[in-house]
Short mmCIF file of all heavy atoms in Angstrom, two decimals:
data_model
loop_
_atom_site.label_atom_id
_atom_site.label_comp_id
_atom_site.label_asym_id
_atom_site.label_seq_id
_atom_site.Cartn_x
_atom_site.Cartn_y
_atom_site.Cartn_z
N VAL A 703 19.31 -2.47 32.11
CA VAL A 703 18.21 -2.15 31.19
C VAL A 703 17.38 -3.40 30.95
O VAL A 703 16.15 -3.35 30.96
CB VAL A 703 18.75 -1.55 29.87
CG1 VAL A 703 17.62 -1.37 28.86
CG2 VAL A 703 19.47 -0.24 30.13
N LYS A 704 18.05 -4.53 30.74
CA LYS A 704 17.32 -5.78 30.54
C LYS A 704 16.49 -6.13 31.77
O LYS A 704 15.35 -6.59 31.66
CB LYS A 704 18.27 -6.93 30.21
CG LYS A 704 17.52 -8.22 29.92
CD LYS A 704 18.42 -9.37 29.59
CE LYS A 704 17.59 -10.63 29.36
NZ LYS A 704 18.40 -11.83 29.29
N SER A 705 17.05 -5.89 32.93
CA SER A 705 16.33 -6.16 34.17
C SER A 705 15.07 -5.28 34.26
O SER A 705 14.00 -5.76 34.64
CB SER A 705 17.24 -5.90 35.37
OG SER A 705 16.54 -6.08 36.57
N GLY A 706 15.21 -4.02 33.90
CA GLY A 706 14.05 -3.13 33.89
C GLY A 706 13.02 -3.56 32.88
O GLY A 706 11.81 -3.54 33.16
N LEU A 707 13.46 -3.97 31.71
CA LEU A 707 12.55 -4.47 30.68
C LEU A 707 11.82 -5.71 31.18
O LEU A 707 10.60 -5.85 30.99
CB LEU A 707 13.32 -4.78 29.39
CG LEU A 707 12.52 -5.34 28.22
CD1 LEU A 707 11.45 -4.36 27.76
CD2 LEU A 707 13.46 -5.69 27.07
N GLN A 708 12.55 -6.60 31.85
CA GLN A 708 11.93 -7.82 32.37
C GLN A 708 10.89 -7.49 33.44
O GLN A 708 9.81 -8.08 33.46
CB GLN A 708 12.99 -8.75 32.95
CG GLN A 708 12.43 -10.08 33.44
CD GLN A 708 11.91 -10.93 32.30
OE1 GLN A 708 12.68 -11.31 31.42
NE2 GLN A 708 10.62 -11.22 32.30
N LYS A 709 11.18 -6.53 34.30
CA LYS A 709 10.23 -6.12 35.33
C LYS A 709 8.96 -5.54 34.70
O LYS A 709 7.85 -5.84 35.14
CB LYS A 709 10.86 -5.12 36.30
CG LYS A 709 11.87 -5.74 37.22
CD LYS A 709 12.54 -4.71 38.09
CE LYS A 709 13.63 -5.36 38.94
NZ LYS A 709 14.36 -4.37 39.73
N ALA A 710 9.14 -4.72 33.67
CA ALA A 710 7.98 -4.14 32.97
C ALA A 710 7.16 -5.24 32.31
O ALA A 710 5.92 -5.24 32.37
CB ALA A 710 8.44 -3.12 31.94
N ALA A 711 7.84 -6.19 31.67
CA ALA A 711 7.16 -7.30 31.02
C ALA A 711 6.40 -8.16 32.03
O ALA A 711 5.24 -8.52 31.80
CB ALA A 711 8.16 -8.16 30.25
N ASP A 712 7.04 -8.46 33.12
CA ASP A 712 6.38 -9.26 34.17
C ASP A 712 5.14 -8.55 34.71
O ASP A 712 4.10 -9.18 34.91
CB ASP A 712 7.35 -9.53 35.33
CG ASP A 712 8.47 -10.49 34.97
OD1 ASP A 712 8.39 -11.16 33.92
OD2 ASP A 712 9.45 -10.54 35.74
N LYS A 713 5.25 -7.24 34.91
CA LYS A 713 4.13 -6.47 35.44
C LYS A 713 2.91 -6.55 34.54
O LYS A 713 1.77 -6.59 34.99
CB LYS A 713 4.57 -5.00 35.62
CG LYS A 713 3.55 -4.12 36.26
CD LYS A 713 4.10 -2.72 36.48
CE LYS A 713 3.06 -1.84 37.13
NZ LYS A 713 3.58 -0.49 37.39
N GLU A 714 3.16 -6.58 33.22
CA GLU A 714 2.06 -6.65 32.26
C GLU A 714 1.81 -8.06 31.72
O GLU A 714 1.03 -8.25 30.79
CB GLU A 714 2.34 -5.68 31.10
CG GLU A 714 2.36 -4.25 31.56
CD GLU A 714 2.14 -3.26 30.43
OE1 GLU A 714 1.71 -3.67 29.33
OE2 GLU A 714 2.38 -2.07 30.67
N ARG A 715 2.51 -9.02 32.30
CA ARG A 715 2.39 -10.43 31.88
C ARG A 715 2.65 -10.60 30.39
O ARG A 715 1.87 -11.23 29.65
CB ARG A 715 1.04 -11.00 32.28
CG ARG A 715 0.86 -11.01 33.78
CD ARG A 715 -0.46 -11.55 34.19
NE ARG A 715 -0.56 -11.41 35.65
CZ ARG A 715 -1.29 -12.18 36.40
NH1 ARG A 715 -2.02 -13.12 35.88
NH2 ARG A 715 -1.32 -12.00 37.70
N ARG A 716 3.74 -10.02 29.94
CA ARG A 716 4.15 -10.10 28.54
C ARG A 716 5.53 -10.75 28.46
O ARG A 716 6.28 -10.77 29.44
CB ARG A 716 4.27 -8.70 27.93
CG ARG A 716 2.99 -7.92 27.86
CD ARG A 716 3.25 -6.53 27.27
NE ARG A 716 2.07 -5.72 27.25
CZ ARG A 716 1.13 -5.74 26.28
NH1 ARG A 716 1.28 -6.55 25.26
NH2 ARG A 716 0.08 -4.96 26.35
N SER A 717 5.85 -11.25 27.27
CA SER A 717 7.21 -11.73 27.04
C SER A 717 8.12 -10.51 26.84
O SER A 717 7.64 -9.39 26.60
CB SER A 717 7.26 -12.61 25.78
OG SER A 717 7.00 -11.80 24.63
N LEU A 718 9.43 -10.72 26.94
CA LEU A 718 10.37 -9.63 26.68
C LEU A 718 10.18 -9.08 25.27
O LEU A 718 10.15 -7.87 25.06
CB LEU A 718 11.82 -10.11 26.83
CG LEU A 718 12.36 -10.26 28.24
CD1 LEU A 718 13.77 -10.83 28.20
CD2 LEU A 718 12.36 -8.94 28.97
N ALA A 719 10.05 -9.97 24.30
CA ALA A 719 9.89 -9.54 22.91
C ALA A 719 8.62 -8.72 22.72
O ALA A 719 8.64 -7.67 22.07
CB ALA A 719 9.88 -10.75 21.98
N ASN A 720 7.53 -9.17 23.31
CA ASN A 720 6.26 -8.45 23.16
C ASN A 720 6.33 -7.10 23.88
O ASN A 720 5.83 -6.09 23.37
CB ASN A 720 5.10 -9.28 23.68
CG ASN A 720 3.79 -8.58 23.48
OD1 ASN A 720 3.20 -8.08 24.43
ND2 ASN A 720 3.31 -8.52 22.23
N MET A 721 6.95 -7.06 25.06
CA MET A 721 7.06 -5.79 25.79
C MET A 721 7.89 -4.80 24.99
O MET A 721 7.54 -3.62 24.88
CB MET A 721 7.71 -6.03 27.16
CG MET A 721 7.67 -4.84 28.08
SD MET A 721 6.01 -4.54 28.71
CE MET A 721 5.77 -2.85 28.24
N LEU A 722 8.96 -5.25 24.38
CA LEU A 722 9.80 -4.38 23.56
C LEU A 722 9.03 -3.87 22.36
O LEU A 722 9.10 -2.68 22.02
CB LEU A 722 11.05 -5.15 23.12
CG LEU A 722 12.20 -4.35 22.55
CD1 LEU A 722 12.62 -3.22 23.47
CD2 LEU A 722 13.37 -5.25 22.25
N GLU A 723 8.23 -4.73 21.72
CA GLU A 723 7.43 -4.31 20.59
C GLU A 723 6.39 -3.26 21.01
O GLU A 723 6.19 -2.25 20.34
CB GLU A 723 6.72 -5.50 19.94
CG GLU A 723 5.94 -5.10 18.70
CD GLU A 723 5.37 -6.28 17.94
OE1 GLU A 723 5.78 -7.44 18.20
OE2 GLU A 723 4.52 -6.05 17.07
N VAL A 724 5.75 -3.48 22.15
CA VAL A 724 4.77 -2.51 22.67
C VAL A 724 5.45 -1.17 22.93
O VAL A 724 4.91 -0.11 22.56
CB VAL A 724 4.10 -3.06 23.95
CG1 VAL A 724 3.35 -1.97 24.69
CG2 VAL A 724 3.18 -4.22 23.62
N MET A 725 6.62 -1.19 23.53
CA MET A 725 7.34 0.05 23.82
C MET A 725 7.75 0.77 22.53
O MET A 725 7.64 2.01 22.45
CB MET A 725 8.57 -0.23 24.67
CG MET A 725 8.26 -0.65 26.08
SD MET A 725 9.78 -1.12 26.95
CE MET A 725 9.28 -0.85 28.63
N ILE A 726 8.20 0.04 21.54
CA ILE A 726 8.59 0.65 20.28
C ILE A 726 7.39 1.26 19.57
O ILE A 726 7.44 2.38 19.07
CB ILE A 726 9.31 -0.38 19.37
CG1 ILE A 726 10.68 -0.73 19.98
CG2 ILE A 726 9.45 0.15 17.95
CD1 ILE A 726 11.35 -1.92 19.35
N ARG A 727 6.28 0.53 19.55
CA ARG A 727 5.06 1.06 18.93
C ARG A 727 4.57 2.31 19.64
O ARG A 727 4.14 3.28 19.01
CB ARG A 727 3.96 0.00 18.88
CG ARG A 727 4.23 -1.10 17.88
CD ARG A 727 3.09 -2.12 17.89
NE ARG A 727 3.34 -3.16 16.92
CZ ARG A 727 3.06 -3.08 15.63
NH1 ARG A 727 2.52 -1.99 15.14
NH2 ARG A 727 3.32 -4.09 14.82
N ASP A 728 4.65 2.31 20.96
CA ASP A 728 4.25 3.49 21.74
C ASP A 728 5.15 4.68 21.40
O ASP A 728 4.67 5.78 21.15
CB ASP A 728 4.31 3.17 23.23
CG ASP A 728 3.93 4.37 24.09
OD1 ASP A 728 2.78 4.85 23.95
OD2 ASP A 728 4.78 4.83 24.87
N TYR A 729 6.45 4.46 21.38
CA TYR A 729 7.40 5.53 21.05
C TYR A 729 7.12 6.09 19.66
O TYR A 729 7.05 7.30 19.47
CB TYR A 729 8.84 5.01 21.12
CG TYR A 729 9.84 6.04 20.68
CD1 TYR A 729 10.39 6.93 21.59
CD2 TYR A 729 10.22 6.16 19.34
CE1 TYR A 729 11.29 7.90 21.18
CE2 TYR A 729 11.10 7.12 18.92
CZ TYR A 729 11.65 8.00 19.85
OH TYR A 729 12.52 8.96 19.43
N CYS A 730 6.95 5.20 18.70
CA CYS A 730 6.69 5.63 17.32
C CYS A 730 5.39 6.43 17.24
O CYS A 730 5.34 7.47 16.58
CB CYS A 730 6.64 4.43 16.39
SG CYS A 730 8.26 3.67 16.13
N GLY A 731 4.37 5.97 17.90
CA GLY A 731 3.09 6.67 17.90
C GLY A 731 3.18 8.07 18.48
O GLY A 731 2.58 9.01 17.98
N ARG A 732 3.97 8.22 19.54
CA ARG A 732 4.11 9.51 20.19
C ARG A 732 5.04 10.46 19.44
O ARG A 732 5.02 11.66 19.66
CB ARG A 732 4.64 9.34 21.63
CG ARG A 732 3.60 8.78 22.58
CD ARG A 732 4.09 8.71 24.02
NE ARG A 732 5.10 7.65 24.20
CZ ARG A 732 6.41 7.84 24.40
NH1 ARG A 732 6.90 9.04 24.49
NH2 ARG A 732 7.23 6.81 24.55
N ASN A 733 5.87 9.92 18.54
CA ASN A 733 6.87 10.73 17.86
C ASN A 733 6.66 10.82 16.35
O ASN A 733 7.57 11.19 15.62
CB ASN A 733 8.27 10.21 18.19
CG ASN A 733 8.63 10.49 19.63
OD1 ASN A 733 8.99 11.61 19.97
ND2 ASN A 733 8.47 9.49 20.49
N GLY A 734 5.48 10.46 15.90
CA GLY A 734 5.14 10.62 14.49
C GLY A 734 5.87 9.68 13.54
O GLY A 734 6.00 9.96 12.36
N VAL A 735 6.37 8.58 14.05
CA VAL A 735 7.02 7.58 13.20
C VAL A 735 5.95 6.58 12.79
O VAL A 735 5.37 5.90 13.63
CB VAL A 735 8.18 6.87 13.94
CG1 VAL A 735 8.80 5.81 13.06
CG2 VAL A 735 9.20 7.88 14.41
N VAL A 736 5.69 6.50 11.49
CA VAL A 736 4.61 5.65 11.00
C VAL A 736 5.11 4.21 10.83
O VAL A 736 6.15 3.96 10.23
CB VAL A 736 4.08 6.16 9.64
CG1 VAL A 736 3.03 5.23 9.07
CG2 VAL A 736 3.53 7.56 9.81
N ILE A 737 4.36 3.30 11.40
CA ILE A 737 4.58 1.88 11.16
C ILE A 737 3.46 1.47 10.21
O ILE A 737 2.30 1.43 10.62
CB ILE A 737 4.53 1.07 12.47
CG1 ILE A 737 5.63 1.55 13.42
CG2 ILE A 737 4.65 -0.43 12.18
CD1 ILE A 737 5.60 0.89 14.79
N PRO A 738 3.78 1.22 8.94
CA PRO A 738 2.74 1.03 7.92
C PRO A 738 1.60 0.10 8.29
O PRO A 738 0.46 0.40 8.04
CB PRO A 738 3.53 0.49 6.72
CG PRO A 738 4.89 1.07 6.91
CD PRO A 738 5.10 1.08 8.40
#
């Protein structure tokens, strides 16, 4: 999973932390979870 995350981050030229934050925000947005 970490390897996949790293590949996704590299593809978008992001850090692991930033890629994870982007993925979490995307998930929340698609599933009605509000991030204030």
Side-chain angles (χ1 to χ4, degrees):
V703 174
K704 183 180 178 191
S705 177
L707 178 61
Q708 184 66 62
K709 287 176 185 176
D712 290 346
K713 184 176 180 178
E714 295 200 14
R715 298 179 184 206
R716 297 179 183 275
S717 67
L718 282 176
N720 183 254
M721 189 73 234
L722 194 54
E723 184 173 346
V724 166
M725 290 175 156
I726 291 168
R727 288 180 180 277
D728 179 61
Y729 175 90
C730 289
R732 287 184 288 109
N733 290 282
V735 178
V736 176
I737 299 175

